[in-house]
Amino acid sequence: MKSVIVIPARYASSRFPGKPLAMLSGKPMIQHVWEHARASKADRVLVATDDERIFNTVKNFGGDAVMTRSDHPSGTDRIAEAVQSLDETFDLVVNVQGDEPLMPSRVIDALIDLMRSDASFEMATVAVPAVRGKLTPDNVKVVMTTDRRALYFSRAEIPFVRTGGVAAPVYLHWGIYAYRRDVLEKFVKLPAGILENSEKLEQLRALENNLSIRVLISDLESIGVDTPADLARAEKKLAEFNDGKH
């Protein structure tokens, strides 16, 4: 089962314009994402962008990139166009967000192994335990079944704890997905539903249309960069890694 990682990267972020090119420990952030992806067991890694500045930056550090349309409503739609442009066939497509510069290669490998181990999984993603009360609406949360199939993703802190209720665990969702090739093609043909339009979370399109998403629980650490403050946190964490504190 051949696998390809596609990293969607656009320049026009409303909260942090140009963030794929933001410098992080002397490199553009997209290069950190690329290097972590290349260290995984995936057969190929590709950056999909609609911006020539990002395209040229990736090419300059030796990466593989493809230009896509600028009107895609989501990163997954951008990935689907990129995969269709390839001259080879991949059975498994992994979406590693371009704002996850610390995504561990071991997590990518575990996700690929999970999809290879059971053909019944249509999609898969990753979550980590989080501390209740410490997350913001920028941090996406997920609740799941006992066999770790996603029930719902939200910007709200779910599950809610009513007075007198037992505080259930909170899980932080990471920006990484694995799709079967045919499932990806099906997904991008589906219209955005009321849940996706409300929360602005494209994975809810899958749940609204009865696509199952298996959740891999990790105990490793990553930092999704949505704001300049997140970039500063990532810079600090990289410094700690370099100092041997992790």
Side-chain angles (χ1 to χ4, degrees):
M1 180 182 290
K2 291 184 68 176
S3 59
V4 58
I5 294 173
V6 185
I7 305 168
R10 65 189 185 96
Y11 193 91
S13 169
S14 59
R15 287 174 291 181
F16 193 171
K19 68 179 177 179
L21 302 183
M23 296 305 291
L24 178 63
S25 293
K27 300 176 184 178
M29 184 166 67
I30 191 66
Q31 185 171 351
H32 289 276
V33 182
W34 166 267
E35 290 174 351
H36 282 272
R38 282 296 299 154
S40 75
K41 62 176 60 177
D43 297 291
R44 186 172 178 181
V45 179
L46 179 71
V47 174
T49 185
D50 62 351
D51 190 275
E52 290 187 358
R53 289 164 291 188
I54 296 174
F55 179 89
N56 291 333
T57 296
V58 174
K59 289 294 188 179
N60 286 340
F61 65 67
D64 190 4
V66 62
M67 289 291 293
T68 57
R69 302 197 329 257
S70 61
D71 59 347
H72 285 304
S74 72
T76 304
D77 296 282
R78 190 175 310 284
I79 285 171
E81 181 191 347
V83 171
Q84 289 171 358
S85 73
L86 299 178
D87 56 4
E88 56 185 318
T89 301
F90 294 92
D91 309 291
L92 186 62
V93 181
V94 181
N95 172 351
V96 176
Q97 297 293 321
D99 57 7
E100 290 277 353
L102 303 184
M103 179 64 66
S105 302
R106 284 182 291 162
V107 170
I108 301 172
D109 288 344
L111 198 63
I112 291 173
D113 288 342
L114 179 66
M115 294 293 283
R116 286 174 173 171
S117 70
D118 191 333
S120 70
F121 300 149
E122 294 176 292
M123 294 173 55
T125 191
V126 178
V128 294
V131 178
R132 187 175 289 277
K134 298 291 186 179
L135 303 177
T136 73
D138 288 334
N139 306 127
V140 179
K141 300 82 175 173
V142 59
V143 291
M144 65 203 87
T145 64
T146 54
D147 62 351
R148 295 183 178 175
R149 293 180 185 271
L151 286 170
Y152 193 67
F153 298 86
S154 182
R155 297 186 183 282
E157 188 172 86
I158 54 175
F160 176 79
V161 182
R162 187 175 178 178
T163 302
V166 177
V170 175
Y171 288 92
L172 172 66
H173 177 235
W174 277 3
I176 180 172
Y177 303 91
Y179 314 82
R180 309 283 175 200
R181 174 72 179 267
D182 61 327
V183 173
L184 174 62
E185 292 171 351
K186 175 182 178 180
F187 177 90
V188 296
K189 293 176 182 177
L190 296 170
I194 190 170
L195 298 179
E196 179 180 357
N197 286 330
S198 177
E199 297 248 21
K200 299 301 180 184
L201 298 173
E202 60 185 295
Q203 60 269 42
L204 293 176
R205 190 189 321 172
L207 297 186
E208 285 184 276
N209 288 278
N210 297 311
L211 294 177
S212 63
I213 305 177
R214 180 69 154 76
V215 182
L216 173 70
I217 304 299
S218 175
D219 60 357
L220 298 178
E221 186 174 8
S222 183
I223 295 176
V225 176
D226 292 306
T227 66
D230 294 331
L231 185 69
R233 290 174 53 233
E235 186 80 52
K236 180 180 179 182
K237 188 60 62 177
L238 278 173
E240 291 175 356
F241 287 142
N242 293 336
D243 289 341
K245 295 180 180 179
H246 287 266

PDB file of all heavy atoms in Angstrom, residues 148-165:
ATOM      1  N   ARG A 148     -12.703   4.151  19.864  1.00  0.00           N
ATOM      2  CA  ARG A 148     -11.954   5.291  19.316  1.00  0.00           C
ATOM      3  C   ARG A 148     -12.359   5.663  17.887  1.00  0.00           C
ATOM      4  O   ARG A 148     -11.509   5.967  17.050  1.00  0.00           O
ATOM      5  CB  ARG A 148     -10.450   5.031  19.415  1.00  0.00           C
ATOM      6  CG  ARG A 148      -9.987   4.962  20.868  1.00  0.00           C
ATOM      7  CD  ARG A 148      -8.500   4.770  20.998  1.00  0.00           C
ATOM      8  NE  ARG A 148      -8.087   4.757  22.398  1.00  0.00           N
ATOM      9  CZ  ARG A 148      -6.857   4.515  22.818  1.00  0.00           C
ATOM     10  NH1 ARG A 148      -5.898   4.270  21.939  1.00  0.00           N
ATOM     11  NH2 ARG A 148      -6.565   4.521  24.106  1.00  0.00           N
ATOM     12  N   ARG A 149     -13.643   5.683  17.661  1.00  0.00           N
ATOM     13  CA  ARG A 149     -14.177   6.270  16.443  1.00  0.00           C
ATOM     14  C   ARG A 149     -14.744   7.638  16.807  1.00  0.00           C
ATOM     15  O   ARG A 149     -15.424   7.782  17.813  1.00  0.00           O
ATOM     16  CB  ARG A 149     -15.245   5.380  15.810  1.00  0.00           C
ATOM     17  CG  ARG A 149     -14.689   4.074  15.275  1.00  0.00           C
ATOM     18  CD  ARG A 149     -15.770   3.208  14.644  1.00  0.00           C
ATOM     19  NE  ARG A 149     -15.226   1.923  14.263  1.00  0.00           N
ATOM     20  CZ  ARG A 149     -14.665   1.647  13.082  1.00  0.00           C
ATOM     21  NH1 ARG A 149     -14.608   2.605  12.163  1.00  0.00           N
ATOM     22  NH2 ARG A 149     -14.181   0.461  12.818  1.00  0.00           N
ATOM     23  N   ALA A 150     -14.437   8.631  16.003  1.00  0.00           N
ATOM     24  CA  ALA A 150     -14.840   9.999  16.325  1.00  0.00           C
ATOM     25  C   ALA A 150     -16.353  10.142  16.327  1.00  0.00           C
ATOM     26  O   ALA A 150     -17.036   9.698  15.395  1.00  0.00           O
ATOM     27  CB  ALA A 150     -14.230  10.965  15.326  1.00  0.00           C
ATOM     28  N   LEU A 151     -16.877  10.766  17.388  1.00  0.00           N
ATOM     29  CA  LEU A 151     -18.288  11.103  17.464  1.00  0.00           C
ATOM     30  C   LEU A 151     -18.536  12.542  17.034  1.00  0.00           C
ATOM     31  O   LEU A 151     -19.495  12.840  16.333  1.00  0.00           O
ATOM     32  CB  LEU A 151     -18.797  10.911  18.898  1.00  0.00           C
ATOM     33  CG  LEU A 151     -18.992   9.491  19.392  1.00  0.00           C
ATOM     34  CD1 LEU A 151     -19.252   9.502  20.902  1.00  0.00           C
ATOM     35  CD2 LEU A 151     -20.135   8.810  18.663  1.00  0.00           C
ATOM     36  N   TYR A 152     -17.644  13.444  17.470  1.00  0.00           N
ATOM     37  CA  TYR A 152     -17.819  14.854  17.137  1.00  0.00           C
ATOM     38  C   TYR A 152     -16.527  15.616  17.387  1.00  0.00           C
ATOM     39  O   TYR A 152     -15.757  15.271  18.289  1.00  0.00           O
ATOM     40  CB  TYR A 152     -18.950  15.478  17.971  1.00  0.00           C
ATOM     41  CG  TYR A 152     -19.389  16.831  17.454  1.00  0.00           C
ATOM     42  CD1 TYR A 152     -20.032  16.956  16.227  1.00  0.00           C
ATOM     43  CD2 TYR A 152     -19.122  18.005  18.166  1.00  0.00           C
ATOM     44  CE1 TYR A 152     -20.415  18.199  15.735  1.00  0.00           C
ATOM     45  CE2 TYR A 152     -19.500  19.248  17.682  1.00  0.00           C
ATOM     46  CZ  TYR A 152     -20.148  19.331  16.457  1.00  0.00           C
ATOM     47  OH  TYR A 152     -20.515  20.547  15.955  1.00  0.00           O
ATOM     48  N   PHE A 153     -16.304  16.639  16.558  1.00  0.00           N
ATOM     49  CA  PHE A 153     -15.201  17.577  16.736  1.00  0.00           C
ATOM     50  C   PHE A 153     -15.810  18.944  17.004  1.00  0.00           C
ATOM     51  O   PHE A 153     -16.822  19.315  16.410  1.00  0.00           O
ATOM     52  CB  PHE A 153     -14.341  17.664  15.469  1.00  0.00           C
ATOM     53  CG  PHE A 153     -13.683  16.388  15.065  1.00  0.00           C
ATOM     54  CD1 PHE A 153     -14.347  15.468  14.273  1.00  0.00           C
ATOM     55  CD2 PHE A 153     -12.384  16.100  15.455  1.00  0.00           C
ATOM     56  CE1 PHE A 153     -13.742  14.285  13.875  1.00  0.00           C
ATOM     57  CE2 PHE A 153     -11.760  14.923  15.070  1.00  0.00           C
ATOM     58  CZ  PHE A 153     -12.444  14.006  14.276  1.00  0.00           C
ATOM     59  N   SER A 154     -15.173  19.718  17.882  1.00  0.00           N
ATOM     60  CA  SER A 154     -15.734  21.030  18.201  1.00  0.00           C
ATOM     61  C   SER A 154     -14.647  21.989  18.665  1.00  0.00           C
ATOM     62  O   SER A 154     -13.614  21.576  19.209  1.00  0.00           O
ATOM     63  CB  SER A 154     -16.789  20.910  19.302  1.00  0.00           C
ATOM     64  OG  SER A 154     -17.365  22.180  19.590  1.00  0.00           O
ATOM     65  N   ARG A 155     -14.933  23.288  18.454  1.00  0.00           N
ATOM     66  CA  ARG A 155     -14.083  24.315  19.040  1.00  0.00           C
ATOM     67  C   ARG A 155     -14.448  24.544  20.509  1.00  0.00           C
ATOM     68  O   ARG A 155     -13.666  25.117  21.259  1.00  0.00           O
ATOM     69  CB  ARG A 155     -14.215  25.610  18.238  1.00  0.00           C
ATOM     70  CG  ARG A 155     -13.729  25.467  16.804  1.00  0.00           C
ATOM     71  CD  ARG A 155     -13.721  26.785  16.065  1.00  0.00           C
ATOM     72  NE  ARG A 155     -13.311  26.608  14.686  1.00  0.00           N
ATOM     73  CZ  ARG A 155     -12.056  26.452  14.268  1.00  0.00           C
ATOM     74  NH1 ARG A 155     -11.076  26.457  15.160  1.00  0.00           N
ATOM     75  NH2 ARG A 155     -11.779  26.295  12.990  1.00  0.00           N
ATOM     76  N   ALA A 156     -15.637  24.092  20.891  1.00  0.00           N
ATOM     77  CA  ALA A 156     -16.053  24.175  22.288  1.00  0.00           C
ATOM     78  C   ALA A 156     -15.372  23.067  23.082  1.00  0.00           C
ATOM     79  O   ALA A 156     -14.911  22.069  22.529  1.00  0.00           O
ATOM     80  CB  ALA A 156     -17.570  24.043  22.406  1.00  0.00           C
ATOM     81  N   GLU A 157     -15.301  23.256  24.399  1.00  0.00           N
ATOM     82  CA  GLU A 157     -14.690  22.233  25.246  1.00  0.00           C
ATOM     83  C   GLU A 157     -15.714  21.130  25.495  1.00  0.00           C
ATOM     84  O   GLU A 157     -16.656  21.294  26.273  1.00  0.00           O
ATOM     85  CB  GLU A 157     -14.225  22.843  26.571  1.00  0.00           C
ATOM     86  CG  GLU A 157     -13.412  21.860  27.413  1.00  0.00           C
ATOM     87  CD  GLU A 157     -12.796  22.521  28.627  1.00  0.00           C
ATOM     88  OE1 GLU A 157     -13.488  22.606  29.654  1.00  0.00           O
ATOM     89  OE2 GLU A 157     -11.642  22.962  28.546  1.00  0.00           O
ATOM     90  N   ILE A 158     -15.540  20.025  24.813  1.00  0.00           N
ATOM     91  CA  ILE A 158     -16.456  18.902  24.940  1.00  0.00           C
ATOM     92  C   ILE A 158     -15.691  17.694  25.460  1.00  0.00           C
ATOM     93  O   ILE A 158     -14.501  17.548  25.205  1.00  0.00           O
ATOM     94  CB  ILE A 158     -17.130  18.574  23.583  1.00  0.00           C
ATOM     95  CG1 ILE A 158     -16.051  18.358  22.482  1.00  0.00           C
ATOM     96  CG2 ILE A 158     -18.133  19.620  23.197  1.00  0.00           C
ATOM     97  CD1 ILE A 158     -16.608  17.915  21.143  1.00  0.00           C
ATOM     98  N   PRO A 159     -16.395  16.822  26.236  1.00  0.00           N
ATOM     99  CA  PRO A 159     -17.779  16.932  26.689  1.00  0.00           C
ATOM    100  C   PRO A 159     -17.941  17.956  27.816  1.00  0.00           C
ATOM    101  O   PRO A 159     -17.056  18.127  28.649  1.00  0.00           O
ATOM    102  CB  PRO A 159     -18.101  15.527  27.179  1.00  0.00           C
ATOM    103  CG  PRO A 159     -16.784  14.961  27.596  1.00  0.00           C
ATOM    104  CD  PRO A 159     -15.768  15.563  26.664  1.00  0.00           C
ATOM    105  N   PHE A 160     -19.084  18.642  27.786  1.00  0.00           N
ATOM    106  CA  PHE A 160     -19.427  19.597  28.842  1.00  0.00           C
ATOM    107  C   PHE A 160     -19.667  18.849  30.145  1.00  0.00           C
ATOM    108  O   PHE A 160     -20.192  17.738  30.148  1.00  0.00           O
ATOM    109  CB  PHE A 160     -20.689  20.360  28.425  1.00  0.00           C
ATOM    110  CG  PHE A 160     -21.198  21.313  29.476  1.00  0.00           C
ATOM    111  CD1 PHE A 160     -20.605  22.549  29.665  1.00  0.00           C
ATOM    112  CD2 PHE A 160     -22.280  20.962  30.283  1.00  0.00           C
ATOM    113  CE1 PHE A 160     -21.080  23.429  30.623  1.00  0.00           C
ATOM    114  CE2 PHE A 160     -22.758  21.832  31.246  1.00  0.00           C
ATOM    115  CZ  PHE A 160     -22.148  23.065  31.414  1.00  0.00           C
ATOM    116  N   VAL A 161     -19.255  19.457  31.263  1.00  0.00           N
ATOM    117  CA  VAL A 161     -19.470  18.837  32.576  1.00  0.00           C
ATOM    118  C   VAL A 161     -20.537  19.631  33.322  1.00  0.00           C
ATOM    119  O   VAL A 161     -20.316  20.790  33.703  1.00  0.00           O
ATOM    120  CB  VAL A 161     -18.173  18.792  33.406  1.00  0.00           C
ATOM    121  CG1 VAL A 161     -18.446  18.099  34.743  1.00  0.00           C
ATOM    122  CG2 VAL A 161     -17.074  18.057  32.650  1.00  0.00           C
ATOM    123  N   ARG A 162     -21.682  19.035  33.489  1.00  0.00           N
ATOM    124  CA  ARG A 162     -22.751  19.683  34.235  1.00  0.00           C
ATOM    125  C   ARG A 162     -22.458  19.610  35.734  1.00  0.00           C
ATOM    126  O   ARG A 162     -21.736  18.715  36.193  1.00  0.00           O
ATOM    127  CB  ARG A 162     -24.087  19.002  33.921  1.00  0.00           C
ATOM    128  CG  ARG A 162     -25.293  19.695  34.524  1.00  0.00           C
ATOM    129  CD  ARG A 162     -26.575  19.051  34.084  1.00  0.00           C
ATOM    130  NE  ARG A 162     -27.735  19.690  34.709  1.00  0.00           N
ATOM    131  CZ  ARG A 162     -28.990  19.338  34.460  1.00  0.00           C
ATOM    132  NH1 ARG A 162     -29.258  18.349  33.614  1.00  0.00           N
ATOM    133  NH2 ARG A 162     -29.985  19.966  35.060  1.00  0.00           N
ATOM    134  N   THR A 163     -23.005  20.550  36.499  1.00  0.00           N
ATOM    135  CA  THR A 163     -22.825  20.543  37.950  1.00  0.00           C
ATOM    136  C   THR A 163     -23.204  19.186  38.518  1.00  0.00           C
ATOM    137  O   THR A 163     -24.297  18.672  38.274  1.00  0.00           O
ATOM    138  CB  THR A 163     -23.690  21.636  38.605  1.00  0.00           C
ATOM    139  OG1 THR A 163     -23.338  22.908  38.056  1.00  0.00           O
ATOM    140  CG2 THR A 163     -23.477  21.646  40.122  1.00  0.00           C
ATOM    141  N   GLY A 164     -22.285  18.600  39.251  1.00  0.00           N
ATOM    142  CA  GLY A 164     -22.516  17.274  39.808  1.00  0.00           C
ATOM    143  C   GLY A 164     -22.093  16.152  38.896  1.00  0.00           C
ATOM    144  O   GLY A 164     -22.080  14.983  39.307  1.00  0.00           O
ATOM    145  N   GLY A 165     -21.730  16.478  37.653  1.00  0.00           N
ATOM    146  CA  GLY A 165     -21.317  15.454  36.704  1.00  0.00           C
ATOM    147  C   GLY A 165     -19.859  15.063  36.887  1.00  0.00           C
ATOM    148  O   GLY A 165     -19.078  15.747  37.552  1.00  0.00           O
TER     149      GLY A 165
END
